Amino acid sequence: MTDIATRPTDAVSPPPRGRRRPRLDGGGPRAGTIVAFLTPFFLPFVLFYLVPVGYALWQSFRVVRRSGGQYGTSYTTFGGFEQYVEVFQNDEFWASIGRIGLFGIVQVPVMLFTALVMALLLDTHLLKLKGFFRTAAFMPYAVPGVIAAIMWSYLYSPQLSPVVDLLNGIGLKPDFLGPGAVLWSAANVSTWLWTGYNMLIMFSALQSIPQELYEAARIDGAGNWAIAWRIKVPIIAPSIVMTTVFSIIGTLQLYSEPAVLRQISSNISSTFTPNMLAYTVAVGNNYQQAAAISVVIAVITFVLSFGFMRLTSKRAGL
Amino acid sequence: MALMLVLAIYFMLPLYFLIVAATKPQGDLASTSGLTFSNFQLFDNLHTLFTFNDGIFARWILNTVVYAVLGAAVGTLISALCGYALAKFRFRGREFLFSVILGGVLVPSTALALPLFLLFSEAGLVNTYFAVFLPSIVSPFGVYLARIFANAAVPQELIESARLDGAGEFRTFFSVSFKLMSPALVTIFLFQFVGIWNNFFLPMVMLQKEELFPITLGLFTWNGQTARTPLLQESVIMGSLVSIVPVIILFIVLQRFWRTGLAAGSLK
């Protein structure tokens, strides 16, 4: 951080009004002032982030038991890893993880590759109407997932959709809400929502590359493709890593899109994604089990995003 | 060029469909092509939307403004204070606090919603504005951006000279640093606005009273009722259009802020 280097030694200058101030680290404002700057954020951060995380952990180690048979009074007690064992033995949990995995392995690369190609095209001199394309691609970002899914569900529905009409017209009989297709219909909504956002991150990174680099490459005889893949892509690798991590987190949290499609398709169960499973279990009053599922989702998110960052930073030497 | 045109059509198709569908009477939705206009009934549809169920849609708009606009404004202010302090003040534990906040960026918000519901139900806060508003003001990503921007935009010398002039830290912040950071603060506001506007899981878990719903949850509920009340379909379409068009326009107008924010976010 640069502020260490630019910081003048104000220990030499006398404190204002000759008053002795208690200092934490030799300079700057007094401790009380620092606390006053930090508290408005940290108080809600602790209350609405750290405490719930701790509470979920605590809940996930508890179980509800009954004393005196099925009709006895129920009480909660410490259950160790019992809830977690139950999560890992739950077929519906593995099914939901499988769907999310398949979704992520296909949707994330398709989306990011499209975003990258668009960003590279926007960064060349070949393309006209750049502002229009940038805006068109970014517009979906302003649309909440729920509303996007509602809009697309009309485009999927056999009664209303002009897309289905068109495809029927050329002899295809698509069933966007069928058992095999509905996962990809949800994936399409995510792709539609987030491609432009990812494109803009990559495009912003491309714009910060100094032009001299391209001139030097051209003198060395590099063509447009060589410049794009050998110079531009490696330089913006940190942005690509960041968009990948955000996409992984987003995939594991998938909820709104399948929840909306569930309203019109019987091929989406109430346990379609891990989050839907957690919600369904919670509504069924088994909060301890729901907490354990939430913790497992959060841990998988951490492991995958950190793992991906470590892996790529080692390989690319970032 | 051809590829970009195809993609542009893809990105705009649902919106175009929505505009066309919003102008049609309910009966024409299924019987006419979704891509061409038929009987123009936009204003009738608007009237239906705002009068249905005692005009609850207007209430949902108001709620969304409270949750997303007010929440993002408060959130931006507290993120700015915290990020600025982390960037400009030197104190013990600074890096530790920053790492905790960065960890917070990775916590999935859906994983927070269920434990928050349990805590809030014990505190008697479920089914109140606070249940959605309070958790929404916390944005670890906002603090992260505020710290980067404060480092880049506010010269340390300026703070030092304000101190020498006898200005308190808060006065320095609000009269000097805040102005220098203001383009960045717009970015943080926009990010947080989108975060709250998009967060569907939290309001769904916290709220049962329809009068407290944001637009997204309201339209989701209506959409689930269209099988029983087919007439609602037109209002779901009209409501979607009414809610997203102003936001899209706002985004296009504020695009340059987005681009600076996204660029800063992608630096390592």
Side-chain angles (χ1 to χ4, degrees):
Chain A
M1 294 293 133
T2 50
D3 54 348
I4 296 162
T6 54
R7 197 185 160 74
T9 51
D10 71 346
V12 182
S13 58
R17 281 175 252 121
R19 200 148 44 101
R20 183 97 187 126
R21 288 164 166 231
R23 297 271 157 105
L24 267 177
D25 196 22
R30 57 172 87 187
T33 312
I34 294 173
V35 171
F37 270 84
L38 297 177
T39 307
F41 176 80
F42 268 99
L43 186 67
F45 180 69
V46 169
L47 285 178
F48 308 129
Y49 259 76
L50 301 186
V51 172
V53 168
Y55 188 70
L57 271 173
W58 183 71
Q59 283 275 333
S60 71
F61 287 110
R62 296 182 69 79
V63 283
V64 178
R65 296 205 204 285
R66 289 178 185 285
S67 60
Q70 210 182 342
Y71 301 102
T73 47
S74 64
Y75 62 99
T76 29
T77 180
F78 181 75
F81 286 96
E82 217 169 287
Q83 296 291 359
Y84 290 94
V85 172
E86 210 174 298
V87 173
F88 291 123
Q89 286 174 347
N90 185 346
D91 292 338
E92 284 181 329
F93 173 75
W94 290 113
S96 71
I97 290 283
R99 277 183 215 109
I100 282 289
L102 190 62
F103 178 104
I105 287 169
V106 176
Q107 190 266 339
V108 173
V110 167
M111 171 178 69
L112 294 180
F113 184 75
T114 312
L116 179 63
V117 169
M118 289 178 79
L120 288 169
L121 282 172
L122 280 177
D123 195 49
T124 60
H125 300 294
L126 304 167
L127 198 71
K128 292 193 176 68
L129 298 170
K130 283 183 187 175
F132 164 73
F133 286 125
R134 212 173 48 216
T135 309
F138 191 61
M139 263 180 352
Y141 183 59
V143 181
V146 178
I147 295 182
I150 290 176
M151 286 159 74
W152 275 100
S153 68
Y154 285 114
L155 290 171
Y156 294 147
S157 107
Q159 291 88 36
L160 300 182
S161 170
V163 178
V164 175
D165 285 348
L166 276 175
L167 292 171
N168 282 340
I170 58 167
L172 292 170
K173 296 260 177 270
D175 181 8
F176 291 117
L177 304 169
V182 75
L183 181 68
W184 308 117
S185 298
N188 174 57
V189 179
S190 297
T191 309
W192 182 79
L193 273 171
W194 295 102
T195 303
Y197 170 81
N198 291 309
M199 175 208 74
L200 222 62
I201 292 180
M202 296 177 193
F203 177 69
S204 309
L206 282 171
Q207 297 250 296
S208 58
I209 302 175
Q211 291 293 320
E212 297 84 55
L213 218 58
Y214 303 145
E215 283 155 29
R218 275 189 207 289
I219 292 166
D220 289 343
N224 282 330
W225 280 105
I227 289 179
W229 293 113
R230 301 235 182 100
I231 298 177
K232 292 184 179 180
V233 172
I235 290 181
I236 64 162
S239 303
I240 299 174
V241 171
M242 189 184 84
T243 51
T244 312
V245 169
F246 282 165
S247 307
I248 292 172
I249 297 175
T251 302
L252 285 158
Q253 291 193 58
L254 197 66
Y255 185 87
S256 336
E257 291 91 336
V260 171
L261 293 182
R262 183 173 145 75
Q263 295 179 326
I264 56 162
S265 171
S266 55
N267 292 309
I268 294 184
S269 62
S270 64
T271 61
F272 197 72
T273 70
N275 262 326
M276 290 171 83
L277 174 68
Y279 180 72
T280 305
V281 170
V283 171
N285 270 326
N286 193 345
Y287 293 118
Q288 295 76 21
Q289 179 70 36
I293 296 170
S294 298
V295 172
V296 172
I297 301 170
V299 169
I300 296 175
T301 309
F302 268 112
V303 170
L304 282 184
S305 25
F306 270 125
F308 184 79
M309 275 195 278
R310 285 290 293 278
L311 190 80
T312 46
S313 61
K314 254 186 205 156
R315 281 200 36 205
L318 299 169
Chain B
M1 191 77 187
L3 174 74
M4 289 301 269
L5 271 177
V6 171
L7 286 169
I9 293 172
Y10 168 69
F11 288 121
M12 299 205 298
L13 176 75
L15 205 64
Y16 173 74
F17 170 79
L18 199 67
I19 293 170
V20 172
T23 65
K24 287 181 184 176
Q26 175 75 34
D28 284 6
L29 279 179
S31 60
T32 61
S33 162
L35 296 178
T36 50
F37 292 91
S38 64
N39 295 310
F40 192 82
Q41 275 218 10
L42 181 73
F43 297 104
D44 289 349
N45 290 339
L46 268 175
H47 182 76
T48 313
L49 171 71
F50 280 98
T51 49
F52 183 79
N53 198 357
D54 295 330
I56 195 146
F57 188 76
R59 181 68 189 262
W60 291 344
I61 293 180
L62 183 75
N63 295 341
T64 305
V65 170
V66 171
Y67 296 132
V69 178
L70 197 62
V74 174
T76 304
L77 180 66
I78 63 176
S79 298
L81 281 168
C82 182
Y84 173 81
L86 288 172
K88 292 297 173 189
F89 301 158
R90 296 178 65 197
F91 53 92
R92 226 172 294 140
R94 180 173 80 155
E95 292 306 319
F96 170 74
L97 288 181
F98 190 57
S99 325
V100 174
I101 294 172
L102 278 187
V105 174
L106 284 176
V107 177
S109 55
T110 42
L112 286 173
L114 288 173
L116 263 176
F117 168 77
L118 293 180
L119 289 167
F120 277 21
S121 47
E122 275 171 40
L125 284 171
V126 166
N127 255 326
T128 64
Y129 274 109
F130 292 116
V132 173
F133 183 81
L134 288 178
S136 300
I137 62 172
V138 186
S139 166
F141 190 59
V143 178
Y144 167 76
L145 286 179
R147 182 181 179 171
I148 293 178
F149 289 135
N151 258 330
V154 187
Q156 192 71 27
E157 292 79 5
L158 216 59
I159 300 176
E160 296 297 343
S161 65
R163 275 180 197 151
L164 285 179
D165 289 345
E169 295 297 332
F170 277 99
R171 221 183 115 193
T172 311
F173 176 79
F174 282 108
S175 60
V176 180
S177 313
F178 198 80
K179 277 181 197 133
L180 291 171
M181 287 170 73
S182 56
L185 297 180
V186 176
T187 312
I188 297 173
F189 176 86
L190 287 170
F191 268 110
Q192 205 168 348
F193 173 84
V194 172
I196 304 173
W197 174 226
N198 258 321
N199 190 351
F200 167 67
F201 200 65
L202 181 72
M204 194 193 65
V205 167
M206 291 291 183
L207 305 173
Q208 276 88 47
K209 279 192 204 153
E210 275 199 337
E211 312 93 82
L212 298 174
F213 284 5
I215 296 172
T216 45
L217 186 56
L219 289 178
F220 178 79
T221 317
W222 276 1
N223 198 45
Q225 294 165 1
T226 50
R228 271 179 289 135
T229 323
L231 277 175
L232 263 176
Q233 209 163 42
E234 190 53 73
S235 284
V236 172
I237 289 170
M238 192 71 237
S240 303
L241 185 69
V242 167
S243 65
I244 61 179
V245 164
V247 182
I248 287 178
I249 292 171
L250 184 76
F251 273 42
I252 293 172
V253 172
L254 296 175
Q255 238 189 25
R256 67 193 179 91
F257 290 108
W258 278 105
R259 297 197 23 218
T260 49
L262 290 168
S266 64
L267 292 178
K268 277 194 108 175

